[in-house]
Amino acid sequence: MSSNVLQASYLGWLVAGPVGCATAINTVKVCQAAPSEVTDERLSELLKKFWTIDNQQDSLPDEHSDDCDVHFTRTHYRTPEGRYVVMIPFSDNLCELGESRKQALRRFHSLEIRLVRFPETKKMYVDFINEYLTLGHCCVVSDAEHKSESAYYLLHHCVMKPGSSSTKLRVVFDASAKSTTEISLNDVMMVGPTVQDPLFDIFLRFRMYRFAFTADISKMYRQVPVNPAQRHYQRILWRENTNEPIKELELNTVTYGMAAAPYLATRAIVQLANDERDNYPAASDVVLRSFYIDDLLAGADTLEEAKHLQAELTELLAKGGFELLKWCATDQALLENIKEHAIEKQLKFEDIDVDGVIKTLGILWDPINDVFMFRVKPVEENAMKPTKRLVLSETAKLFDLLGFLAPTVVSAKMLMQRLWKEKMNWDEPIPDDQLRIWSRLRSELCEISVLRIERGLKMDGATVFELHGFADASTIQLQAM
């Protein structure tokens, strides 16, 4: 009787050989295995972020920061309607990009199979792409344009956002997929520097206003067109039904999933503020200092100032083709002229990584009561003893930029430090003494959701404000030694 064979391939390890009597087999299950190093690498990155979230040192600039800014300044232009057309800041190795259509075709067929099994998801996916077409954010590539040797085909999949008040499903485009030369589109472009203030600074200023309001730029990335000469680098394969021919679509705007997308979109906003400063001086300052990606956090000390600023911001951003939605405000008067569909009950702070994945940061603002709240998912009960992997994955989800949860976060860091000193593996059950600490900490994590922290810092009638700073000199001492 022949035995099974393991064969290494470009797709990973393949198992070949007989599986038993053919007449007795109804189903053959195929499993995919992957090395744990990738997961451990993500955990290490998660641990690093958890440990350094309260470190307010400026990050080092990217080596291509100046090149990106020079490239944007030289290549962008403004349409008669006011929109900013940008060019992707490619690196010198663009010529190394290989063929990508065959892989995109394989992945699209796999996507189709999954969507057939989930009709509701497929409908939302189809609606998302159709909206792209209807709004002119993408277009069908003609037969004459199909044969472009330098075209790059983006893989795409969906991300579900059940808690979203607008888009329940978002299609994410993958520019990190390797071409036949093992080079991806993201590998041949410069990422670009951060052109907005750190979220910590924006949060502190947001707490100083008596009348506060927030909003979000609708489809911000998709309001910034990419130069037509580069759109063939943003192609996708698509069809609604399997009995139709596959079409090639070209994305016309800055695309989620591209390494330079956050820079290009935010840089366009900065350019708009600079270009329109003479007409909207107050709003220009707010755009430059109070936007975190597409989230606006602003306000004023009087209701009249807040109303004026709100109107000026709306006009300024409209000059560049940007629309503000999801308004929240501490005073109902600031929402009187806002359409009902554009009003949000809570502000949910979100982040977006380089692959276009949206992550809720866990902190909410309730404008009616003017308080910050935290959303923490309860830790699932498990009959197995918790491992170091579980402890880290649960505690590192806490986003505590301003130190509201410092006592709990410090306890979590101390626990992780003890587990690290014991040189435990990621999947090894934690010792009993640490288990007791984790059990108590886990119950505290559930209680965080009931916390309410006032947003405003100013007191009515206060005339003098003092800011006291505390510094850790240990780093300086180490450098001097």
Side-chain angles (χ1 to χ4, degrees):
M1 183 177 178
S2 59
S3 59
N4 293 332
V5 177
L6 280 175
Q7 175 66 49
S9 75
Y10 287 111
L11 300 176
W13 284 97
L14 302 178
V15 182
V19 292
C21 177
T23 58
I25 295 175
N26 295 320
T27 304
V28 175
K29 292 185 178 180
V30 179
C31 301
Q32 180 181 4
S36 61
E37 285 80 358
V38 176
T39 303
D40 291 350
E41 182 180 334
R42 291 173 182 168
L43 280 170
S44 298
E45 183 63 24
L46 186 62
L47 180 63
K48 178 182 177 182
K49 290 182 179 180
F50 177 57
W51 214 266
T52 59
I53 186 66
D54 52 357
N55 184 356
Q56 297 306 320
Q57 293 181 353
D58 293 334
S59 57
L60 295 175
D62 181 80
E63 59 177 324
H64 299 298
S65 295
D66 293 339
D67 294 339
C68 269
D69 202 61
V70 169
H71 178 273
F72 181 91
T73 302
R74 289 177 177 174
T75 60
H76 85 275
Y77 65 89
R78 201 169 179 184
T79 68
E81 297 77 28
R83 295 185 186 275
Y84 288 88
V85 181
V86 300
M87 292 196 75
I88 303 168
F90 284 120
S91 306
D92 296 334
N93 62 336
L94 175 60
C95 58
E96 299 177 15
L97 195 63
E99 195 275 335
S100 57
R101 192 181 190 281
K102 291 180 181 178
Q103 179 186 209
L105 184 60
R106 288 194 301 269
R107 290 285 291 272
F108 179 69
H109 283 313
S110 299
L111 173 66
E112 279 189 315
I113 293 171
R114 291 197 299 273
L115 291 179
V116 167
R117 299 204 310 265
F118 302 99
E120 291 185 8
T121 302
K122 179 182 178 180
K123 183 182 183 304
M124 289 190 285
Y125 210 116
V126 169
D127 290 345
F128 191 98
I129 298 296
N130 283 342
E131 181 194 56
Y132 243 83
L133 285 163
T134 302
L135 296 177
H137 297 162
C138 73
C139 59
V140 179
V141 178
S142 66
D143 293 337
E145 297 174 306
H146 273 194
K147 296 180 180 179
S148 174
E149 294 182 0
S150 59
Y152 180 87
Y153 293 82
L154 299 163
L155 308 183
H156 53 96
H157 62 277
C158 64
V159 174
M160 302 298 296
K161 296 181 61 185
S164 174
S165 60
S166 53
T167 307
K168 304 296 182 184
L169 176 145
R170 185 189 302 271
V171 175
V172 175
F173 303 99
D174 182 8
S176 296
K178 304 295 184 183
S179 66
T180 52
T181 58
E182 293 299 312
I183 300 293
S184 71
L185 188 65
N186 280 344
D187 291 334
V188 297
M189 72 174 70
M190 296 179 283
V191 176
T194 300
V195 296
Q196 295 176 323
D197 281 359
L199 182 57
F200 180 81
D201 297 4
I202 297 171
F203 249 116
L204 285 183
R205 285 196 289 269
F206 185 58
R207 302 192 72 192
M208 298 300 293
Y209 308 121
R210 182 179 177 189
F211 296 89
F213 59 84
T214 64
D216 146 315
I217 298 178
S218 176
K219 300 177 177 64
M220 175 181 172
Y221 286 26
R222 289 159 58 182
Q223 310 309 324
V224 183
V226 169
N227 192 299
Q230 291 186 328
R231 291 175 185 173
H232 61 285
Y233 292 111
Q234 300 189 145
R235 288 189 181 178
I236 66 170
L237 301 178
W238 176 250
R239 64 181 173 188
E240 288 190 23
N241 300 297
T242 55
N243 58 354
E244 299 174 354
I246 292 179
K247 296 179 291 189
E248 292 191 7
L249 305 183
E250 222 165 61
L251 308 184
N252 298 330
T253 61
V254 170
T255 301
Y256 286 110
M258 287 177 48
Y263 167 73
L264 291 172
T266 54
R267 184 64 178 81
I269 295 291
V270 169
Q271 190 65 42
L272 173 64
N274 290 328
D275 290 347
E276 299 289 342
R277 175 173 290 279
D278 290 343
N279 298 321
Y280 305 96
S284 293
D285 286 339
V286 170
V287 170
L288 293 174
R289 303 179 71 231
S290 299
F291 264 100
Y292 176 66
I293 310 297
D294 56 353
D295 281 324
L296 167 67
L297 291 82
D301 288 333
T302 68
L303 185 59
E304 291 72 22
E305 288 175 334
K307 278 187 171 182
H308 176 74
L309 184 58
Q310 183 185 38
E312 194 172 288
L313 279 165
T314 302
E315 290 183 21
L316 167 62
L317 289 166
K319 291 285 186 180
F322 302 101
E323 181 185 10
L324 286 171
L325 296 177
K326 297 185 179 181
W327 286 92
C328 296
T330 54
D331 195 294
Q332 191 63 31
L334 294 171
L335 302 176
E336 289 176 351
N337 298 322
I338 306 296
K339 295 180 181 179
E340 187 175 352
H341 76 275
I343 297 176
E344 193 83 346
K345 293 181 180 180
Q346 290 181 343
L347 175 65
K348 302 174 184 178
F349 294 98
E350 295 181 330
D351 193 10
I352 181 167
D353 66 17
V354 77
D355 294 322
V357 178
I358 303 296
K359 299 170 290 186
T360 300
L361 298 181
I363 185 169
L364 309 174
W365 174 52
D366 172 11
I368 296 177
N369 298 301
D370 203 9
V371 294
F372 290 126
M373 305 179 295
F374 291 88
R375 173 176 294 169
V376 180
K377 291 183 179 179
V379 180
E380 295 182 5
E381 294 292 338
N382 197 319
M384 303 293 291
K385 270 191 174 183
T387 61
K388 187 170 78 169
R389 185 188 304 275
L390 174 66
V391 172
L392 171 62
S393 63
E394 292 299 332
T395 55
K397 292 175 183 176
L398 295 174
F399 180 76
D400 184 33
L401 186 66
L402 296 181
F404 295 139
L405 311 179
T408 301
V409 173
V410 167
S411 298
K413 288 183 176 180
M414 291 173 65
L415 174 58
M416 285 305 304
Q417 197 173 47
R418 293 189 191 100
L419 297 178
W420 215 267
K421 286 181 178 179
E422 295 186 13
K423 299 181 179 180
M424 296 182 58
N425 295 325
W426 283 112
D427 296 309
E428 184 180 347
I430 64 176
D432 290 339
D433 56 337
Q434 309 303 339
L435 177 59
R436 288 191 291 272
I437 297 174
W438 166 242
S439 298
R440 185 180 72 249
L441 178 61
R442 184 174 61 178
S443 64
E444 292 178 359
L445 290 177
C446 297
E447 295 298 323
I448 289 174
S449 297
V450 304
L451 284 178
R452 299 292 183 269
I453 299 172
E454 292 186 12
R455 175 200 59 82
L457 290 175
K458 286 186 176 180
M459 298 173 58
D460 292 339
T463 56
V464 178
F465 296 92
E466 294 183 359
L467 177 64
H468 297 261
F470 299 87
D472 182 0
S474 59
T475 305
I476 300 175
Q477 291 174 348
L478 287 172
Q479 291 175 346
M481 289 175 63

